[in-house]
Amino acid sequence: MQFSELSSGELPDFPVPRVQLMIGSVFAGFLAFIAFVISASSLVTGHLASAVAAFAFAVFVLATASFARRNQTSHTSGTPAGRLVQGSTVRYEPSGLIRLALVTASMALCAIAFGVAAGGAVAWIFVTMGALLATFFVPLLITRSIRHGRLELTADGIRHRGWAFEAEIAWDGIGGVAFAQRDYPAIYVLVEPTAQIVRHYTTQFWKIEALHPGHVIELDCRRFDIHPMLLAQWIRFYIEHPDSRIELGTTAAADRLIYARF
């Protein structure tokens, strides 16, 4: 793994080319239009299950394209960056999980409805697939083991709550912060070899975000609606200035992040 110094420039954001996103959106819109037409036609002819399946497929295609467009690195800074910052807590951009839930729900509904419409032995295959996908909403809505993530800087250390995991490290166990050269933009909170990271998945079946196997805490920059450089510099400041940690949890910590310059 290669790292770059925070002062060397912007974090590489590995963006999906705009042309690719645009082509994907146009293609998704075309498929969705056809599916809506089929759904309407099926509804008119009295084939309710087919209508539901086609409608759910259209929603699935549009939701998938929407998730892909939103799953990019943010360049937000200044006052607009403060909408998800409270004290020294930076919350995930909430639409990411909402879009993922919509993708899963529409896929589950499409599979179940298609199975009902198809009938016979094949019906059980698709209904089972849909039912398995629907289990996603047990940890999301009932047990709450999947939920919106956040990054917290506290007097004791750094806590990271992902969609489906938790990780925590004390300040004296942190060796620094750096950018990671991966296939997506990430910030690593580097941990001393002898320090222990407290981390675990909050759900065993739907591990929709992976804990990094190395001795680091990884922050996927696509989850935060704030420029990665600001976030990395903010964390580094409190690593290098322990006396300033007294302001963590207050508006002073939020202002230090929101109004920072790079």
Side-chain angles (χ1 to χ4, degrees), residues 50-175:
S50 295
V52 172
F55 180 83
F57 178 75
V59 174
F60 165 72
V61 170
L62 293 176
T64 301
S66 176
F67 181 82
R69 289 183 65 88
R70 185 63 187 84
N71 197 38
Q72 305 295 315
T73 308
S74 172
H75 292 114
T76 303
S77 61
T79 303
R83 70 184 186 92
L84 297 174
V85 180
Q86 183 175 11
S88 53
T89 297
V90 185
R91 290 172 290 162
Y92 274 20
E93 211 292 320
S95 70
L97 185 56
I98 294 172
R99 293 168 199 263
L100 182 61
L102 183 58
V103 169
T104 307
S106 56
M107 187 187 304
L109 181 59
C110 181
I112 293 172
F114 181 79
V116 172
V122 73
W124 290 105
I125 298 175
F126 284 95
V127 170
T128 300
M129 288 172 54
L132 287 174
L133 287 169
T135 62
F136 173 76
F137 294 92
V138 174
L140 179 66
L141 300 177
I142 299 176
T143 65
R144 300 290 294 159
S145 53
I146 292 178
R147 56 186 177 179
H148 295 300
R150 63 185 182 273
L151 171 70
E152 297 178 82
L153 272 57
T154 72
D156 298 322
I158 295 177
R159 298 172 184 166
H160 181 207
R161 174 63 162 88
W163 283 338
F165 69 81
E166 293 180 338
E168 184 175 353
I169 182 67
W171 287 112
D172 58 8
I174 299 174

Side-chain angles (χ1 to χ4, degrees), residues 14 71 78 123 186 194 237:
F14 303 96
N71 197 38
T194 57
F237 175 82

